[in-house]
Amino acid sequence: MVQSNTLIRPETPADYQAVERLTREAFWNVYRPGCLAHYIVHSFRHQPDFVPELDLVLEKAGKLIGHVMYVRARIQTDDGWEIPVMTFGPLSIHPDCQRQGLGKLLLDYSMSRARALGVGALCIKGDPAFYGESGFAAAGDKGLRYDGEPEGQEPPYFLVKELQKGFLDGVTGTYHMPKGYQVDEREAEEFDKIFCPKTN
Ligand SMILES: CC(C)(COP(=O)(O)OP(=O)(O)OC[C@H]1O[C@@H](n2cnc3c(N)ncnc32)[C@H](O)[C@@H]1OP(=O)(O)O)[C@@H](O)C(=O)NCCC(=O)NCCS
């Protein structure tokens, strides 16, 4: 259940370290041993595809417990056009605060901001159990492929959501993940050394 003492606001430089610590806590050992997500956040902030207007933190009772950031991306259409879309993530809710509706609250609010900025659609690889609650559907069923995935075998966790109705009508093509999500693992491990060692 969403609690009333929450605030969503833009990230400021004063939040950077807290956001990276939060991201590390949320992602640690979830998708791989340790995680890269905090280094992705750290590296993305000054890249041209990063969208400062959609770099948001969630506070609960004055404590920073959530964060999401958005990145410009593109769909290369089968008939030779390039369509601007966005993706987002890392999206983090502190482990102590998960399954209270706060991830959905932050995601839905950030999407409303993105819609107001004129963003047409969002593509993401993620858990349909969570993103389905916010209106995402399998992108493969909508004629989209994920760059590098074998044709006709789009993974069920490649998802899309239109923010402007009809934005992807008649569009088939390939989604390209922004390059900033592919970080050097050794650099990430080096970066991780500035954080408190984790034992689990
Ligand atoms: C994914 C994440 C952001 C979700 O935030 P959250 O606050 O825990 O999720 P919510 O409470 O808002 O969930 C809303 C609904 O989504 C679904 N859902 C959320 N997490 C789920 C899970 N792990 N498994 C199945 N369904 C899930 C449920 O239907 C849930 O409603 P319910 O709790 O009433 O059943 C959070 O768990 C997190 O930070 N995880 C680690 C990092 C990560 O994986 N980030 C996303 C990838 S970028």
Side-chain angles (χ1 to χ4, degrees), residues 5-106:
N5 54 351
T6 54
L7 169 73
I8 299 175
R9 61 167 179 78
E11 186 192 42
T12 71
D15 300 315
Y16 286 177
Q17 286 183 9
V19 164
E20 290 161 16
R21 278 197 303 274
L22 159 71
T23 307
R24 184 175 183 253
E25 290 300 321
F27 278 81
W28 195 260
N29 289 345
V30 173
Y31 297 102
R32 48 168 288 141
C35 73
L36 305 175
H38 55 320
Y39 186 56
I40 291 173
V41 171
H42 179 79
S43 312
F44 242 129
R45 290 195 189 95
H46 302 292
Q47 295 191 25
D49 291 346
F50 177 76
V51 184
E53 302 93 319
L54 297 172
D55 176 26
L56 303 171
V57 297
L58 168 63
E59 290 180 356
K60 184 181 167 193
K63 197 165 171 232
L64 197 157
I65 56 94
H67 172 251
V68 67
M69 49 167 272
Y70 280 63
V71 178
R72 289 183 193 84
R74 66 194 167 90
I75 293 169
Q76 190 88 46
T77 70
D78 293 333
D79 53 1
W81 295 88
E82 208 164 82
I83 297 194
V85 292
M86 281 192 193
T87 186
F88 56 90
L91 164 63
S92 304
I93 296 294
H94 191 281
D96 293 346
C97 302
Q98 290 176 5
R99 296 308 286 264
Q100 299 173 24
L102 296 169
K104 180 167 164 46
L105 179 77
L106 179 56

Side-chain angles (χ1 to χ4, degrees), residues 44 47 49 71-72 74 147 176-183:
F44 242 129
Q47 295 191 25
D49 291 346
V71 178
R72 289 183 193 84
R74 66 194 167 90
D147 186 32
H176 295 261
M177 185 182 72
K179 291 198 173 18
Y181 283 106
Q182 289 155 343
V183 292

